[in-house]
Amino acid sequence: MQVFTPTDVTKYAPNKYLSVLIAAKFARVLNEFPRDRSLHEKKLTTRALEELSAGDIEYKVVMRRRPA
């Protein structure tokens, strides 16, 4: 099992909370694609955190508009 420290995931995101949200949303995107069902396949969350800590995920934060 691979362990991701807050320092690892915050290299490419402003804080650890946002980085976990980004990885979770990316894991949902990965889940939509067909994949090999082999025993050696990594979990989607692990793969998403690996790609985030490597800087392979590009994201954009869109602020919510509050109703007036």
Side-chain angles (χ1 to χ4, degrees):
M1 180 170 115
Q2 188 171 0
V3 177
F4 295 94
T5 63
T7 308
D8 294 338
V9 295
T10 56
K11 289 179 187 173
Y12 298 100
N15 59 48
K16 62 184 175 182
Y17 304 107
L18 182 60
S19 60
V20 169
L21 286 174
I22 293 166
K25 287 185 182 264
F26 186 65
R28 287 184 193 154
V29 170
L30 290 176
N31 194 31
E32 295 175 0
F33 294 110
R35 60 183 189 266
D36 184 23
R37 301 281 184 192
S38 65
L39 296 174
H40 301 292
E41 181 184 4
K42 295 179 182 178
K43 291 185 177 182
L44 297 177
T45 51
T46 303
R47 185 172 159 199
L49 284 169
E50 282 178 348
E51 291 191 26
L52 178 65
S53 61
D56 295 337
I57 300 175
E58 292 183 21
Y59 66 93
K60 180 179 177 183
V61 177
V62 179
M63 303 304 265
R64 288 189 192 180
R65 296 186 78 194
R66 295 193 176 174

